[in-house]
Amino acid sequence: MRKKKILFSLFFISFLLLACGSDGDGGTAAEIPEVVSVRAETFDDLPNCSKNREGDLAEVQDERKAYRCQNGAWEFDHDVLDTVKTEDDLPACTGRKEGLSLFVQFEHAVYTCDGMRWTKVEKENADSGIVEYESEDDLPSCSDNREGSLALIDGDAYLCEDKHWNDKGAYYVTIDSLANCTAKREGEKAYIADEGTTLKCVDGEWISNAKNSSSSISKTSESAEGEKETGWREQCLDIINEYRATENLEPLALADEEKQKCADEQAAADLKSNKAHGHFKECGEWAQNSGPNASMANGRKAADVAKYYLDMMWSEKKLVESGERDLDKDEDYPYIGHYKNMRGDYTKVACGIAVSQDGTTGWFNVNFY
């Protein structure tokens, strides 16, 4: 029986992307650059920074700069760098390249040509301004001037206290971004930056690590919403098939009710953990597209979310048409994976959605079979 490549893709708004592929039951994962939602020739060509675009990343080609939609305005985010796949792909660091910076995709890091050698650049965390280091050996001295300062090493927060750097646990900006306290995380610590507190995962709950404290931290619950809005799954299917028809591809059919419900529950679990594809393959799917942290403000419905993300996902086709990306190259999958999945050799699809308890945030998953 022919084996299909298992692939999934993510439309990510504020976190790093993960993509996975295999020819069997196993898989590999690698960090990849954030997906660009909008590309424009000039800054004046950028679309309106609306609520629906909040958090989206845009590239302005004549400036070679990236801007992020924040609070109704496009704000400078970073310079756009040329990209290589691995450190081995870096060109020779000659005198002519002195000062040149390149983005290494596999390591999600910037390297600069300095003194005839490529040097990995320490970077500030985009959300917090905290400097990230390769190892504890690279940390600066925990002097009196640095008392109370934070540093990041491989996702863990290190706090300068009493002239020592102390590992406070996995770094999270807010309690809402905290991962689930599962059996796998039993005993692990987490540092919540906006509260300055350390929590410990004990028996399924995040417990304050403070002395003599027994208070626990609970997260808002999320609910699968797909069954509450009738007809939206059919609209989701219609949009996908309309796009497939433009390439004379066979239409897909809706998967059975059990798989639709599973897609809803899967979206709810991903929303709760705030981790894209965190439950990939649990519904038996071969490929998955994900639209996380969708705004549900102003009465936005599941059908609205589906159309918004599916339109954006198919728009990756422009990168193929321009010759910038190739459907047959695995290294281009992070940039065109949503489009590739939507046009893939599948027969059925399940559309799932979940909404946070306060009704402000949604999570959209599309599973392909």
Side-chain angles (χ1 to χ4, degrees):
M1 183 175 66
R2 180 174 58 89
K3 296 182 180 178
K4 292 184 179 179
K5 179 174 281 190
I6 299 175
L7 298 169
F8 59 64
S9 184
L10 159 71
F11 231 123
F12 210 92
I13 293 177
S14 59
F15 293 87
L16 297 180
L17 291 171
L18 288 177
C20 180
S22 76
D23 290 318
D25 294 331
T28 58
E31 291 186 349
I32 58 175
E34 197 169 353
V35 166
V36 175
S37 304
V38 179
R39 284 183 173 84
E41 288 293 329
T42 70
F43 184 84
D44 292 335
D45 293 328
L46 287 174
N48 180 41
C49 176
S50 62
K51 288 183 179 179
N52 287 340
R53 289 194 175 94
E54 182 71 19
D56 282 4
L57 197 65
E59 279 188 9
V60 176
Q61 294 175 354
D62 70 338
E63 299 179 10
R64 291 192 61 77
K65 295 183 183 296
Y67 293 83
R68 192 177 297 279
C69 178
Q70 294 178 324
N71 301 319
W74 290 103
E75 302 289 347
F76 173 75
D77 191 85
H78 62 268
D79 291 317
V80 177
L81 300 176
D82 289 330
T83 301
V84 296
K85 189 173 182 181
T86 69
E87 187 178 355
D88 292 337
D89 297 322
L90 289 168
C93 178
T94 62
R96 294 181 62 183
K97 291 186 174 65
E98 185 73 16
L100 175 67
S101 293
L102 294 174
F103 184 87
V104 178
Q105 178 180 323
F106 184 77
E107 297 186 34
H108 204 87
V110 174
Y111 281 72
T112 297
C113 179
D114 182 19
M116 308 296 284
R117 59 175 297 196
W118 289 102
T119 304
K120 191 171 183 179
V121 179
E122 292 175 357
K123 59 183 183 296
E124 286 192 349
N125 183 283
D127 296 320
S128 64
I130 301 173
V131 177
E132 298 184 29
Y133 297 90
E134 284 291 293
S135 67
E136 291 187 50
D137 293 336
D138 298 319
L139 287 169
S141 172
C142 178
S143 61
D144 291 337
N145 291 335
R146 290 194 174 93
E147 182 72 17
S149 296
L150 274 177
L152 293 182
I153 299 177
D154 196 25
D156 275 13
Y158 283 72
L159 183 64
C160 178
E161 299 175 300
D162 299 325
K163 299 185 178 181
H164 291 89
W165 288 101
N166 295 314
D167 187 352
K168 309 299 286 187
Y171 176 83
Y172 294 92
V173 178
T174 67
I175 188 68
D176 291 331
S177 62
L178 187 60
N180 287 329
C181 175
T182 61
K184 186 178 180 179
R185 294 190 174 94
E186 182 71 19
E188 291 185 5
K189 296 185 297 181
Y191 182 81
I192 313 302
D194 69 343
E195 298 179 8
T197 57
T198 298
L199 308 176
K200 189 173 183 179
C201 178
V202 179
D203 296 331
E205 290 187 302
W206 287 104
I207 306 296
S208 173
N209 213 32
K211 213 174 213 183
N212 301 323
S213 172
S214 60
S215 62
S216 64
I217 305 295
S218 61
K219 297 183 65 181
T220 51
S221 61
E222 291 73 24
S223 62
E225 294 288 311
E227 299 298 324
K228 295 184 180 180
E229 186 178 329
T230 60
W232 84 272
R233 298 194 207 275
E234 288 75 12
Q235 294 179 54
C236 176
L237 173 68
D238 288 344
I239 293 171
I240 295 172
N241 282 336
E242 285 171 9
Y243 277 126
R244 287 175 65 89
T246 63
E247 298 187 6
N248 297 317
L249 298 170
E250 289 293 322
L252 304 181
L254 280 179
D256 59 49
E257 185 176 346
E258 182 179 350
K259 285 185 171 61
Q260 303 293 341
K261 185 178 179 180
C262 185
D264 287 340
E265 295 172 349
Q266 196 178 47
D270 287 349
L271 175 59
K272 187 173 183 179
S273 64
N274 201 22
K275 182 179 180 182
H277 312 301
H279 301 80
F280 177 57
K281 292 169 62 177
E282 289 185 3
C283 297
E285 69 275 15
W286 284 97
Q288 182 184 80
N289 285 359
S290 185
N293 297 315
S295 171
M296 304 301 290
N298 302 318
R300 205 175 187 202
K301 302 295 185 182
D304 301 323
V305 174
K307 177 171 174 51
Y308 172 75
Y309 277 112
L310 290 172
D311 287 349
M312 195 175 293
M313 291 169 181
W314 189 266
S315 70
E316 294 172 358
K317 180 178 180 178
K318 296 176 183 177
L319 297 176
V320 177
E321 293 176 326
S322 68
E324 186 176 347
R325 301 295 171 189
D326 190 331
L327 284 169
D328 295 325
K329 291 183 177 179
D330 289 343
E331 59 266 32
D332 285 347
Y333 178 75
Y335 303 93
I336 56 175
H338 306 97
Y339 164 60
K340 190 169 183 177
N341 287 346
M342 287 176 68
R343 70 181 304 279
D345 184 20
Y346 305 109
T347 59
K348 295 182 180 181
V349 65
C351 301
I353 195 166
V355 178
S356 60
Q357 190 176 48
D358 60 9
T360 62
T361 305
W363 195 289
F364 172 63
N365 280 350
V366 186
N367 292 339
F368 297 91
Y369 299 88

